[in-house]
Amino acid sequence: MLKELSISTRSQVEFIDITSSVQELVQESKVKEGICWVFVPHTTAGVTINEGADPSVKRDILSHLDKLIPLRGDYRHMEGNSAAHIKASLVGSSEVIFIHEGRLLLGTWQSLYFCEFDGPRHRRVMVRIMID
Ligand code: ZN
């Protein structure tokens, strides 16, 4: 089944932990064993899995991405948000997570993050839950 999350981001660049929201969709689906696909249908946002325990990890990823891909550079894109497009391609627009015993099978320290690179905006996250 196909489900959708709506997200309002608050900053130009931020990671939002969507693990519990996606887990709720899995619970609603009643699927015990299967696969959960998470897809972000935007060109300046993405999704990634990384550590959720220490917020410094999120901060370090964002600040290092800023150093690698500065806001202003030798970009041609007229809209002026090339840095956001490049970051979105680097983190990617989808993740696949196994569902086991009705839960997302994430590692102990893993969280699922929506990655905003050109906010604040209203965003969508598509979630497809498939039974084995
Ligand atoms: Zn653009």
Side-chain angles (χ1 to χ4, degrees):
M1 62 213 71
L2 183 61
K3 303 196 173 237
E4 188 176 325
L5 295 174
S6 290
I7 295 175
S8 292
T9 60
R10 297 201 180 121
S11 308
Q12 186 180 34
V13 172
E14 69 179 309
F15 278 14
I16 296 173
D17 190 335
I18 57 169
T19 316
S20 58
S21 303
V22 175
Q23 180 60 53
E24 273 173 36
L25 296 179
V26 170
Q27 263 151 286
E28 280 170 32
S29 77
K30 313 250 189 264
V31 170
K32 299 295 175 203
E33 301 294 327
I35 282 178
C36 177
W37 290 75
V38 178
F39 176 73
V40 171
H42 301 289
T43 59
T44 55
V47 65
T48 195
I49 293 171
N50 216 299
E51 176 163 337
D54 179 1
S56 299
V57 173
K58 182 167 83 169
R59 179 258 168 216
D60 288 349
I61 294 171
L62 285 170
S63 74
H64 204 77
L65 278 174
D66 276 338
K67 273 186 207 146
L68 285 172
I69 307 142
L71 202 56
R72 304 276 165 243
D74 181 24
Y75 306 130
R76 302 280 164 89
H77 179 47
M78 300 283 282
E79 204 187 1
N81 60 353
S82 281
H85 287 291
I86 296 165
K87 288 174 184 174
S89 269
L90 280 180
V91 303
S93 55
S94 68
E95 290 287 356
V96 180
I97 306 147
F98 303 143
I99 298 165
H100 178 56
E101 295 174 348
R103 309 273 315 161
L104 294 170
L105 197 57
L106 288 164
T108 308
W109 307 110
Q110 286 183 317
S111 288
L112 182 65
Y113 287 106
F114 176 84
C115 311
E116 176 63 83
F117 296 120
D118 195 26
R121 290 181 190 239
H122 294 291
R123 299 293 203 175
R124 297 191 304 152
V125 178
M126 314 305 289
V127 180
R128 166 110 32 209
I129 297 163
M130 296 162 76
I131 195 163
D132 268 5

